[in-house]
Amino acid sequence: FQVLAEQYADSQLGILSRYYLGLIARQTKRVDEGKEHLSWVINNADELETRNLARNALAQIVLGENNPEEAATLFEKILEEPSPNYPPQIILMGLAQSYEKAGNEKRYSKTVEQSQQVANALWRQWQTDGNPETQALLAWYYCLVSTHPQRLTLKHISEPTTPQRIGCERVGVEKNTSG
C-alpha cells in the first residue's frame, strides 16, 4: 500500500491505499502513524464516502485513547456530511458512546433518543417492505446495542422485537437481557 500511496497520491487508488495504511498501523499498535494517515485521507479525499471511512476509523482510535471529545467531533462531521454507506443509527451509537465517555449526560441522552427514533423508523420500514438490506441494518444495530458495555440496551428501543427475530444470532452475538 505504501508504494501505491506514494506513486498515485492524488488518485482514489492512492487515497484508499493511505486509508488502508492507517488501518494497518492502528492494528499493529502504531497509533500515531495510523492517525496521521487517516487525517491525511480526511483532508485530501474528494470522495465523501472515503472521508467518512477515515473519520470513523480515526474516531475509534481517539475514543480508545480516551479522547471522547475528538471522537464526538468526528462522528458529528459524519452526520453533517452523510453518505449512503454510513447509516445514521450506527454513527449515533458511536456519538452516544463518545458523549457518555466524556460525561456529557445531556448530549448522551439526546443522542440515544435520536438513535431510538432512527431505529424505530427502520423497524417500521422493515415491517412494511421486508427488505433484506433494512433487516441487515437492524440486525447490526441491535447486535451493537445488545453488546454495548455501557447503558445502551434494548430497552431504548420502543418497538417490540428481539435481536434474534431480525437475525442477530446469525452473526454470533448474544443478546443483552438485562434491559
Side-chain angles (χ1 to χ4, degrees), residues 39-110:
S39 294
W40 186 92
V41 171
I42 292 167
N43 293 324
N44 292 283
D46 290 331
E47 298 289 326
L48 177 60
E49 190 69 32
T50 306
R51 286 194 308 273
N52 282 345
L53 282 168
R55 285 177 179 136
N56 185 56
L58 185 55
Q60 300 303 323
I61 290 173
V62 297
L63 195 56
E65 291 179 327
N66 202 25
N67 189 347
E69 293 85 5
E70 185 177 349
T73 299
L74 289 161
F75 286 127
E76 288 167 350
K77 192 67 175 171
I78 294 172
L79 290 172
E80 288 171 17
E81 296 181 345
S83 54
N85 292 317
Y86 270 94
Q89 67 276 19
I90 294 168
I91 299 305
L92 286 167
M93 293 293 294
L95 186 57
Q97 184 181 13
S98 299
Y99 290 148
E100 184 176 44
K101 201 169 187 180
N104 190 332
E105 185 65 30
K106 185 177 180 181
R107 292 190 84 181
Y108 166 78
S109 296
K110 182 179 178 183

Side-chain angles (χ1 to χ4, degrees), residues 9 18 24 31 62 69 75 86 99 112 115-116 129 176:
R18 181 80 67 129
I24 292 167
V31 177
V62 297
E69 293 85 5
F75 286 127
Y86 270 94
Y99 290 148
V112 167
S115 181
Q116 176 184 354
D129 65 19
N176 177 352

